[in-house]
Amino acid sequence: MMHAMDKTQIETVLNLLVNKRELTPREWAEDVALGVGVFAIGCVYLLWGGGSLVPYDDAFREYTGIQVYVFSYVSFFYLAVMSLVLMMRRITPWPVFLVVMGVYLMARYQMEGQEFVVLAPCLALFTIAEERNRWEVITASIIAFIAVIIMATPGSSLVFSAYTKLMVLAYFAVAVFMGISVHSYRRYRNEAEQRQEEAAAIREMDAQKAVEAERVRIARELHDITAHSLSAIGIQAAAAERMVDRDPELAKESIRIIRDTSKSSLDEIRAMIGVLRGEGEPAENRPTHGTEHLGELVQYLESAGISVTCDQSHYRREAVPLYIDVAVFGIAREAVTNIVKHAHAKHVDITLHATEDLVTLMVVDDGQGMGGSYAHNASFYDDPTLHVGGGGHGLQGMAERTNLLGGGFGAYDVKGGGFAVVVRLPFREKETAGHGEES
């Protein structure tokens, strides 16, 4: 346990002394250039602007009590040490700060309080404020304040001493403020970049979900196409089998219908599977058939011996969004397929109606019904001529597709016999542009 505590304490000290970051070549070059620049400025200050120039003013020297001091090359040594240490400021900010501040105090005492370049201590304090946390900045500021209080000042004038110390404190305060500002800006920038990355990841996930949802929809379309086509092929094959001996021409017609149906279905399936291909693979994206092919459903029903009434007089296809039109046709095809397979109906009424913002599809047969119910959002399409009927997997698929588009779906037994499928799909805008080209 003692060993673990020692290890933790060592890690804490190392974290305090050394920054956990790697400098880029550009940052190293900046710090080296900064150290060289501080040394050059300090040399100019010592030769022309600091230490020995002011004391040669006799009136000022007499007022402040400052004695003439001719500094030696030791001052340049102190300056060189501070400048060299500054090159490591972002790797070891605390050791650099303590060394620079200590050398600064020693230089002032060595020069009998004469003013020494304060740029290096300011940069060391700025680095603490820029790189470290709030409590460390407060600690460094207190140390800098104490250093200013105890540092040597030239002469015996208390006013001049106070003025000198206030000026140095002002420089340190500016350094701390600038360091905190840079730290805050860097943190804000990092948080903004992180939010952008998270937003990009969310957009990518949403896009992936949209692709997956579209592929599920296409899979349902494939189910509709396959069920419709195989049912039609089965009916025509049975008719050809019955007529091959009695009426060869009629049998040939059934075989021709089988051939055309299989070819058309194969083309549609190829187009849809093309959309489901992976990235980088060629894909066909021709849209699924819309209500312009409703006549094919009528022919399909009639070929099964079922009479049909199809009313589209109040439906303008060009005013309805393409995705709604395609969905309506897919639902109608599924309903017709169910009628041929299960209803034993003799007559079917198909009604397609559209207003400015709503499409309504009704498929009603006079078959045996289903003896149950299946409804989504029943209040959406309340119809007194219908009552509760039955449901199956085909109805679930139609209901799910309707629900995805924000519509209402119902499947009911009709009073007096038969079954009805009712679909209402709302839309908010007219997507007429390019409708004819896509379809």
Side-chain angles (χ1 to χ4, degrees), residues 107-138:
R108 291 194 70 106
Y109 278 107
Q110 179 71 28
M111 297 172 61
E112 299 180 2
Q114 300 294 333
E115 182 58 40
F116 191 65
V117 61
V118 76
L119 183 58
C122 285
L123 286 172
L125 187 56
F126 167 84
T127 304
I128 294 289
E130 177 193 18
E131 296 285 338
R132 309 300 291 188
N133 61 50
R134 179 180 60 181
W135 294 109
E136 292 181 55
V137 175
I138 294 174

Side-chain angles (χ1 to χ4, degrees), residues 326-378:
V326 170
V328 168
F329 178 76
I331 294 171
R333 181 170 54 197
E334 178 69 24
V336 166
T337 300
N338 288 343
I339 290 173
V340 173
K341 291 170 64 176
H342 305 296
H344 304 292
K346 295 181 180 179
H347 181 79
V348 175
D349 289 316
I350 301 176
T351 304
L352 191 57
H353 181 273
T355 62
E356 293 182 355
D357 58 359
L358 184 69
V359 173
T360 302
L361 170 69
M362 293 186 64
V363 181
V364 184
D365 66 68
D366 61 354
Q368 63 183 10
M370 300 187 70
S373 68
Y374 198 98
H376 281 244
N377 302 331

Side-chain angles (χ1 to χ4, degrees), residues 119-415:
L119 183 58
C122 285
L123 286 172
L125 187 56
F126 167 84
T127 304
I128 294 289
E130 177 193 18
E131 296 285 338
R132 309 300 291 188
N133 61 50
R134 179 180 60 181
W135 294 109
E136 292 181 55
V137 175
I138 294 174
T139 302
S141 300
I142 294 174
I143 293 174
F145 177 79
I146 294 173
V148 172
I149 296 300
I150 66 176
M151 75 178 186
T153 56
S156 57
S157 172
L158 294 178
V159 174
F160 182 74
S161 176
Y163 170 78
T164 301
K165 292 183 178 183
L166 284 176
M167 287 297 295
V168 175
L169 282 176
Y171 294 147
F172 285 171
V174 171
V176 171
F177 174 77
M178 293 179 63
I180 293 174
S181 299
V182 172
H183 179 82
S184 300
Y185 169 74
R186 183 181 298 162
R187 183 175 61 184
Y188 169 78
R189 184 185 62 188
N190 292 338
E191 291 176 354
E193 291 176 353
Q194 183 177 0
R195 286 195 296 269
Q196 289 179 353
E197 292 175 358
E198 292 175 353
I202 291 173
R203 287 195 298 269
E204 184 176 352
M205 290 177 60
D206 291 341
Q208 184 63 31
K209 289 180 180 179
V211 170
E212 292 175 358
E214 179 65 12
R215 292 191 174 191
V216 170
R217 187 194 66 79
I218 293 173
R220 289 172 177 163
E221 291 286 351
L222 282 173
H223 164 267
D224 295 344
I225 293 171
T226 304
H228 167 72
S229 302
L230 291 180
S231 179
I233 290 173
I235 292 172
Q236 294 300 329
E241 184 180 13
R242 290 195 303 268
M243 298 296 179
V244 66
D245 295 326
R246 291 183 295 173
D247 192 342
E249 291 299 323
L250 186 58
K252 289 180 181 180
E253 178 65 17
S254 296
I255 294 174
R256 183 190 64 78
I257 294 175
I258 291 174
R259 181 191 63 203
D260 293 342
T261 301
S262 61
K263 182 178 182 300
S264 175
S265 299
L266 185 59
D267 290 340
E268 290 190 47
I269 291 172
R270 282 174 176 169
M272 286 188 164
I273 290 179
V275 178
L276 294 174
R277 294 177 188 267
E279 294 183 1
E281 299 183 38
E284 301 175 31
N285 53 12
R286 177 175 59 86
T288 310
H289 287 165
T291 56
E292 78 278 13
H293 293 276
L294 204 58
E296 297 177 5
L297 300 184
V298 173
Q299 293 178 3
Y300 169 57
L301 287 168
E302 290 177 343
S303 67
I306 302 173
S307 62
V308 184
T309 300
C310 184
D311 182 8
Q312 302 183 67
S313 59
H314 296 286
Y315 183 80
R316 291 190 307 113
R317 184 170 177 269
E318 66 276 5
V320 176
L322 180 60
Y323 71 95
I324 296 291
D325 187 79
V326 170
V328 168
F329 178 76
I331 294 171
R333 181 170 54 197
E334 178 69 24
V336 166
T337 300
N338 288 343
I339 290 173
V340 173
K341 291 170 64 176
H342 305 296
H344 304 292
K346 295 181 180 179
H347 181 79
V348 175
D349 289 316
I350 301 176
T351 304
L352 191 57
H353 181 273
T355 62
E356 293 182 355
D357 58 359
L358 184 69
V359 173
T360 302
L361 170 69
M362 293 186 64
V363 181
V364 184
D365 66 68
D366 61 354
Q368 63 183 10
M370 300 187 70
S373 68
Y374 198 98
H376 281 244
N377 302 331
S379 61
F380 195 170
Y381 45 81
D382 187 21
D383 190 329
T385 65
L386 305 177
H387 72 279
V388 176
H393 293 295
L395 296 178
Q396 291 177 3
M398 288 186 279
E400 289 174 4
R401 179 179 300 181
T402 304
N403 188 51
L404 286 174
L405 295 175
F409 174 83
Y412 301 87
D413 281 341
V414 179
K415 294 179 181 179

